[in-house]
Amino acid sequence: MTAPRPNIVHILVDDMGYGDFSTFNGGLSQTPRLDALMGEGICLTQHYAASPVCNPSRAALLTGRYPHRTGSIDTLEGRGLDRLAPREVTTADAFKAAGYATGIVGKWHLGAFDPRYHPNRRGFDEFTGFRGGWSDYYRWRIERNGAPLSADGRYLTDVFSSAASDFIERHRTDPFYLHVTFNAPHMPPQAPLEDIQPFAESGRFSFPVSVIYGMLRRLDRGVEQVLGTLDRLGLRDNTIVVFSSDNGPQFGSEIGSIARFNCHFHGCKGNVYEGGVRVPAIVRWPGGGLQGGRTVTELVHMTDWYPTLCALTGVPCIDKNPLDGLDATPLLRGQSRQVNPVRFWQWNRYQPTVTSNAAMRDGEWKLVRPAIRETLIVTPDDLRRVQAYILGIPFV
């Protein structure tokens, strides 16, 4: 009898730094389910996002290619700079072609407006979430496959946890690829009071940091709900679970500084120092021969996930475009692999300036070109466009 094809639940969170995991920060935050997942699976301690900001990293994750090749180069959806070019092939395209049910729950940010860039046109059978860069956690406006859904009083992280669990429930007899893209702890800083209180009342943190840790606490329970659904349906052993963040932590907000412990890495979201692009990843697949309770210290890049997930499942990569990512399966299986090639990062506003905010990693060495301030300035009109999108009002 042929073994069933493995499922995939790939969880990507937003602006969660290395130091936001309580296992790395000495218990400052409260992320017990993520800490347990590290013990159950493999922790990649030199895992790197593809960009220090949201959508370029997401584009690289889904295509196996550096962001600059994909068209998704900046967060300004009002100018279409977030759009994943139609020529690009996504992980969802490959798994859908192989007969998998494909779904995405959460934040898209790879084409907020034009219907050509909708997730349902990019390989995903189902989409529940929002298409732009961020959302209010209570006054949210999301959609399900194009049909609008209005806020109903629930916290958005809880909405996405339930939607992801529902997808798994409905497709429990199919092989499925589910991309769960929680937007927490991205701005705006909002969390249920019950999750903020333990940190605010401890006297150890400022109120803004207490809110961020509250968001992470709620996120951890959302992950627990999704993983609990796999357990309840008997899908744990045959499901590949991947958890990572799209970039490092943001340290500024409208309610004050949210700078916090980040394992002493220099930098944060928005720059290519370690604090902006180095984020741990976790992989768990009990039934697939991936021995848990291990760490992998070799460098793994976000572009590696497309070829790696295809290799683990036996799904053919659609090789329309050359990949920058490598198959990390030998590392995950505890086998040797050749030394990593040189890896690159670069990001600034509007159009790439290669001498600004750029880095390369070659073996143990990393070269950084610091950011040039003038290349990171956003025009007032574009700032107003962002605000209009969030509020759901026309931009005049």
Side-chain angles (χ1 to χ4, degrees), residues 120-184:
N120 292 146
R121 302 282 294 271
R122 310 315 304 268
F124 290 101
D125 298 320
E126 300 182 26
F127 169 56
T128 300
F130 60 93
R131 294 167 58 191
W134 59 297
S135 170
D136 193 279
Y137 285 85
Y138 290 102
R139 295 177 296 171
W140 41 264
R141 295 175 296 108
I142 65 174
E143 64 169 270
R144 181 178 293 125
N145 299 327
L149 300 175
S150 298
D152 57 12
R154 289 182 295 164
Y155 185 65
L156 189 54
T157 298
D158 299 343
V159 175
F160 290 153
S161 302
S162 296
S165 296
D166 177 68
F167 179 93
I168 295 169
E169 182 91 42
R170 288 185 288 105
H171 294 287
R172 60 187 180 276
T173 60
D174 308 317
F176 61 79
Y177 165 70
L178 174 61
H179 194 24
V180 187
T181 55
F182 288 109
N183 56 314

Side-chain angles (χ1 to χ4, degrees), residues 128-318:
T128 300
F130 60 93
R131 294 167 58 191
W134 59 297
S135 170
D136 193 279
Y137 285 85
Y138 290 102
R139 295 177 296 171
W140 41 264
R141 295 175 296 108
I142 65 174
E143 64 169 270
R144 181 178 293 125
N145 299 327
L149 300 175
S150 298
D152 57 12
R154 289 182 295 164
Y155 185 65
L156 189 54
T157 298
D158 299 343
V159 175
F160 290 153
S161 302
S162 296
S165 296
D166 177 68
F167 179 93
I168 295 169
E169 182 91 42
R170 288 185 288 105
H171 294 287
R172 60 187 180 276
T173 60
D174 308 317
F176 61 79
Y177 165 70
L178 174 61
H179 194 24
V180 187
T181 55
F182 288 109
N183 56 314
H186 193 286
M187 297 294 98
Q190 298 170 338
L193 183 59
E194 66 194 76
D195 291 304
I196 299 172
Q197 279 181 321
F199 305 103
E201 294 175 354
S202 72
R204 302 177 68 187
F205 313 104
S206 67
F207 181 74
V209 171
S210 296
V211 174
I212 295 299
Y213 280 161
M215 296 172 78
L216 290 164
R217 186 174 188 256
R218 195 72 167 209
L219 170 66
D220 189 74
R221 291 209 296 276
V223 172
E224 183 175 39
Q225 180 178 342
V226 174
L227 298 183
T229 302
L230 295 175
D231 292 346
R232 177 170 54 82
L233 298 175
L235 300 175
R236 174 191 176 108
D237 284 353
N238 200 41
T239 300
I240 302 168
V241 174
V242 181
F243 181 96
S244 60
S245 177
D246 61 352
N247 47 250
Q250 184 168 334
F251 279 173
S253 80
E254 59 266 41
I255 64 172
S257 171
I258 50 174
R260 56 200 186 274
F261 178 75
N262 196 37
C263 295
H264 308 295
F265 291 132
H266 181 57
C268 58
K269 178 182 180 177
N271 59 62
V272 297
Y273 296 109
E274 292 291 276
V277 292
R278 184 168 170 178
V279 289
I282 308 167
V283 189
R284 188 189 76 180
W285 186 19
L290 298 187
Q291 180 186 350
R294 294 186 293 127
T295 59
V296 169
T297 59
E298 289 87 351
L299 191 155
V300 176
H301 191 272
M302 194 162 272
T303 56
D304 296 340
W305 286 113
Y306 176 29
T308 299
L309 292 175
C310 286
L312 286 171
T313 58
V315 167
C317 278
I318 299 175

